[in-house]
Amino acid sequence: MKFLFLFSFLCFCLGLLSQRVSSQDRASTPPRGWNSYDSFIWTISEEEFLQSSDIISKQLLPHGYEYAVVDYLWYRRKVPGAYVDSLGFDVIDEWGRPIPDPARWPSSKGGKGFTEVAAKVHSLGLKFGIHVMRGISTQAVNANTPILDTAKGTAYEESGRKWTAQDIGIKERTCAWMNNGFMSVNTELGAGKAFLRSLYQQYAEWGVDFVKNDCVFGEDIDVPEISFVSEVLKQLDRPILYSLSPGTRATPTMAKGISGLVNMYRITGDDWDSWGDVLAHFDVSRDFAAANMMGANGLLGKSWPDLDMLPLGWLSNAGSNDGPHRYTNLGLREQRTQMTLWSMAKSPLMFGGDVRKLDDTTYGLITNPTLLEINSFSSNNKEFPYVSSNLSARAFKNDDLVHTWQARRHLTDAKSSDTHVLGLTTCADVKAMGWSIQAVDQDPEHICWKGNSRSKRRAPFCLNKRNPFVLILLWDEDIIDKQKYQGKVNLLASDKMDLCLHASPKRKLTSKELKRGFFSPCRWDANQMWELNSNGTLVNSYSGLCATINSVEAQANSQGVRSWIATGQKGQIYVAFFNLNDGWATITAQKSDLAKELPGTKLSRGSCKGTEAWSGQDLGIIGQTISFSVIPHGAAVIVLQCT
């Protein structure tokens, strides 16, 4: 009897240990799945989602696509007048928490939430994910709903009173691209923490396995919310992967402060199906690889820089209220380039196309075994700059392609023709320490950037100070917040313009960021409030990030040719060539240069055979050089087996 007791106790302990180990192994490889946004935007129904999940289970789950994710606004009623930034169309419960729109999600009626949907997804062998916004909804704040104390199951009480949504919502920190939708929560308050805890505990009760938290990273960074949500997720009985989105102008310096709190985080704006958007990912993925951010320690596992969803196959249009209704604008060669970069950079692979219309070509792209092997199991992944190219004079023409590209919005100095680029970074970054008050044309009220200038003769880039309190009379309710902005200023584009420097976009932007600058009509808005510190940093009140300015000449040129390298778990050497030009390019790498970048491999002393992964072409024995002719806007993936 004693032996049986000890044996049972040992089994129990081993079971707990097994659960603990599995919970500590989240996102051991880049997560892979499907997200509804690119094809359905926000209008997907329960029937459409479950139909899609069934197809994913049968066709994509065998290739590791295990997550089925409902993207944003699943709580918004699909009625006339409802759109991305509308107000008053959301379904919330008595505690101010979003719940599924019962017209689109009929199984949610009776307070069930996503419980039945999650159960059906799980029965298919998949994991269920949802998109959520930052903080608390404006609708809940306007309704002044009570806050749930999950420990007691009643309204949250502290200091002898019951707390409500208006006590915790920070109105000056509304989501920049969804002003009417959501705002930050004050996590310094017990009530603010109680609200966020009630959200994520409810998600766990529904059976959620993946949460995509939006408007909390990049130029919209909200470290307090990320930190607290991460702590809540650690305490839940159910393992939930934590993803951040989007990451407009994210940098490795910025990400190092949060990568250990999450499992994946976007490092770009929204990626759509244009060649410009594909190009915009080369520099940022290079920088994160160089910073060793791929597979770094994350929330109870690892974390991965995320290049965004794959907009391939049958899609909708950004911001639309219907869809899907069109095929991707990317040509096949461009789709291969995107899939190759995402795989070499070990980005999470979230397919965005309508799986109900999954054609053989798209299926072959996203299930290519070599690319998936690279994405999950390769190491030493990095950009390889030591390549040469021979460009063909024969140009490639395709009227459907976008040939012009601009990765970031530009600021034009009104007093010169120079074009500058605004960046945001953590205030501890030395690159942010270049601002000072200077006299320009005998007017001392200017804040100017002189940091990192290549030429001492170049005139500084200057912005004109404006006291924001002149705006108070237009917003009487904000007079009580005057103290919050003491010492902070608006910054005007010029003396004659009533446009102020704005740190975060007013809409959800794509990666290429065309057409829109960083100035918007001056208003009482934390995004437009800046404070100059004594160390030369210019900090924004909305994000707490600091501004940097670079001339456009200093920006890396993403045209031309690029190359990435990696090693496989069975000794393979992967070499990816990218031709970003409009004409053919023969790209060449020296075997000796590869050996220097990948020490410890058999490159320097062995004989290597090569194959190209997309075409299956046998390259035979590789000599001292590796050379491949790459189609315009295309990619080649050469796999070397050395003995």
Side-chain angles (χ1 to χ4, degrees):
M1 181 67 70
K2 184 177 181 181
F3 173 78
L4 290 175
F5 172 78
L6 290 174
F7 180 77
S8 299
F9 180 73
L10 178 62
C11 290
F12 173 75
C13 292
L14 289 174
L16 290 178
L17 178 62
S18 176
Q19 292 177 14
R20 181 65 175 169
V21 169
S22 63
S23 68
Q24 295 285 336
D25 197 31
R26 300 179 195 178
S28 58
T29 59
R32 198 176 298 168
W34 175 80
N35 181 292
S36 64
Y37 179 73
D38 285 349
S39 44
F40 291 94
I41 309 300
W42 66 273
T43 62
I44 192 169
S45 67
E46 180 173 336
E47 180 181 5
E48 291 166 330
F49 181 75
L50 291 177
Q51 183 184 8
S52 299
S53 298
D54 184 62
I55 297 169
I56 295 164
S57 174
K58 294 174 180 176
Q59 298 193 41
L60 296 181
L61 180 59
H63 301 279
Y65 290 83
E66 61 177 338
Y67 290 96
V69 182
V70 182
D71 211 84
Y72 73 162
L73 305 185
W74 37 266
Y75 36 82
R76 186 150 297 173
R77 291 182 290 132
K78 188 180 178 183
V79 295
Y83 58 97
V84 171
D85 197 26
S86 58
L87 176 61
F89 295 93
D90 293 349
V91 184
I92 59 176
D93 67 8
E94 61 180 308
W95 307 108
R97 301 176 298 182
I99 56 177
D101 169 25
R104 288 192 289 140
W105 304 89
S107 71
S108 69
K109 294 177 181 178
K112 296 178 182 177
F114 276 125
T115 304
E116 291 190 11
V117 170
K120 290 178 180 177
V121 170
H122 294 154
S123 71
L124 296 170
L126 299 171
K127 295 177 181 178
F128 176 62
I130 60 173
H131 172 288
V132 301
M133 291 295 297
R134 79 185 311 160
I136 189 169
S137 72
T138 304
Q139 190 166 319
V141 172
N142 290 345
N144 202 25
T145 55
I147 295 167
L148 175 64
D149 184 337
T150 55
K152 299 179 179 178
T154 58
Y156 182 84
E157 295 187 44
E158 186 181 349
S159 301
R161 70 181 181 92
K162 294 181 179 180
W163 291 67
T164 63
Q166 290 186 2
D167 296 321
I168 64 171
I170 307 176
K171 293 182 179 180
E172 63 269 22
R173 281 186 55 82
T174 57
C175 179
W177 57 268
M178 196 191 285
N179 272 321
N180 291 319
F182 290 82
M183 65 185 71
S184 290
V185 160
N186 189 342
T187 56
E188 294 182 2
L189 299 174
K193 293 178 180 178
F195 178 77
L196 290 176
R197 187 181 298 110
S198 73
L199 286 178
Y200 286 84
Q201 286 187 358
Q202 178 169 256
Y203 302 151
E205 291 168 1
W206 286 347
V208 171
D209 306 292
F210 179 103
V211 168
K212 176 181 174 182
N213 195 6
D214 206 329
C215 208
V216 293
F217 188 52
E219 58 193 12
D220 299 306
I221 193 166
D222 191 334
V223 174
E225 177 165 331
I226 296 170
S227 301
F228 184 72
V229 169
S230 184
E231 285 301 314
V232 171
L233 293 177
K234 284 181 183 179
Q235 299 165 8
L236 296 177
D237 293 332
R238 182 175 195 82
I240 297 178
L241 251 64
Y242 191 23
S243 169
L244 305 183
S245 171
T248 309
R249 274 194 313 280
T251 64
T253 301
M254 183 193 303
K256 284 181 178 179
I258 59 89
S259 62
L261 305 173
V262 303
N263 301 112
M264 52 188 275
Y265 51 94
R266 281 264 298 282
I267 57 175
T268 68
D270 281 6
D271 172 64
W272 273 97
D273 53 326
S274 77
W275 179 236
D277 273 14
V278 176
L279 286 174
H281 289 74
F282 276 88
D283 286 356
V284 68
S285 57
R286 172 204 60 200
D287 294 344
F288 274 80
N292 297 314
M293 300 297 285
M294 294 181 291
N297 290 333
L299 173 61
L300 300 179
K302 295 183 178 181
S303 65
W304 304 92
D306 177 16
L307 296 180
D308 200 16
M309 292 171 281
L310 295 166
L312 312 176
W314 203 254
L315 307 172
S316 185
N317 289 324
S320 64
N321 279 7
D322 56 42
H325 56 262
R326 64 175 180 83
Y327 195 71
T328 181
N329 289 321
L330 293 172
L332 177 58
R333 65 199 72 189
E334 295 166 334
Q335 295 177 58
R336 285 181 174 175
T337 294
Q338 182 168 32
M339 185 68 184
T340 301
L341 179 62
W342 265 235
S343 297
M344 294 296 293
K346 297 182 74 70
S347 169
L349 298 179
M350 290 290 176
F351 177 54
D354 185 356
V355 292
R356 302 171 306 172
K357 294 185 178 182
L358 184 59
D359 59 276
D360 291 342
T361 299
T362 306
Y363 179 79
L365 279 166
I366 64 175
T367 62
N368 182 290
T370 300
L371 274 295
L372 295 185
E373 171 78 13
I374 293 171
N375 180 253
S376 288
F377 302 115
S378 61
S379 55
N380 301 307
N381 304 60
K382 55 188 171 182
E383 186 172 86
F384 177 69
Y386 308 108
V387 293
S388 60
S389 63
N390 181 18
L391 302 180
S392 169
R394 178 163 60 95
F396 167 64
K397 283 195 172 184
N398 186 334
D399 293 337
D400 294 331
L401 300 180
V402 179
H403 294 306
T404 58
W405 173 66
Q406 180 180 2
R408 295 184 175 96
R409 289 159 294 210
H410 289 169
L411 302 169
T412 301
D413 190 335
K415 298 184 179 180
S416 75
S417 60
D418 290 339
T419 301
H420 299 80
V421 178
L422 174 72
L424 293 172
T425 185
T426 56
C427 294
D429 191 340
V430 294
K431 295 179 181 179
M433 301 175 185
W435 296 93
S436 62
I437 295 178
Q438 295 187 24
V440 177
D441 297 333
Q442 287 74 49
D443 182 358
E445 294 301 307
H446 290 75
I447 292 180
C448 300
W449 172 262
K450 191 65 176 176
N452 301 325
S453 174
R454 291 185 174 184
S455 173
K456 294 182 179 180
R457 297 180 181 178
R458 172 175 289 175
F461 176 83
C462 294
L463 297 161
N464 304 310
K465 292 171 60 177
R466 173 177 178 170
N467 190 327
F469 302 134
V470 299
L471 303 175
I472 289 179
L473 295 178
L474 299 178
W475 292 279
D476 292 338
E477 69 271 18
D478 290 327
I479 294 178
I480 59 174
D481 292 330
K482 180 175 179 179
Q483 293 299 322
K484 293 182 180 180
Y485 297 114
Q486 288 287 359
K488 301 178 182 180
V489 295
N490 293 125
L491 296 174
L492 294 164
S494 74
D495 293 327
K496 298 180 181 179
M497 298 172 65
D498 191 25
L499 296 176
C500 290
L501 185 65
H502 202 287
S504 188
K506 304 302 289 183
R507 59 188 177 84
K508 207 169 187 180
L509 295 165
T510 61
S511 298
K512 59 180 179 178
E513 308 285 278
L514 292 176
K515 299 181 181 178
R516 192 180 187 280
F518 251 92
F519 294 100
S520 59
C522 296
R523 61 192 299 269
W524 190 249
D525 189 329
N527 272 298
Q528 293 185 354
M529 298 297 169
W530 302 85
E531 182 175 9
L532 181 64
N533 293 325
S534 59
N535 65 352
T537 56
L538 185 65
V539 61
N540 177 251
S541 298
Y542 172 75
S543 63
L545 297 174
C546 283
T548 62
I549 296 290
N550 290 296
S551 66
V552 85
E553 291 80 8
Q555 298 302 303
N557 178 13
S558 287
Q559 301 289 348
V561 298
R562 307 290 275 261
S563 178
W564 276 66
I565 56 176
T567 55
Q569 59 180 344
K570 296 182 180 179
Q572 309 98 316
I573 309 296
Y574 300 113
V575 182
F577 290 150
F578 299 94
N579 177 17
L580 309 183
N581 298 284
D582 295 342
W584 286 77
T586 299
I587 305 175
T588 302
Q590 299 296 322
K591 192 176 175 183
S592 57
D593 289 333
L594 288 168
K596 291 177 183 177
E597 290 295 302
L598 298 173
T601 63
K602 298 177 182 178
L603 276 168
S604 60
R605 62 185 185 278
S607 174
C608 302
K609 293 182 178 181
T611 57
E612 201 285 311
W614 286 116
S615 63
Q617 181 180 346
D618 186 351
L619 305 181
I621 300 296
I622 301 296
Q624 294 305 306
T625 62
I626 303 170
S627 188
F628 201 87
S629 183
V630 184
I631 200 167
H633 297 190
V637 181
I638 298 168
V639 183
L640 300 178
Q641 299 279 2
C642 303
T643 59

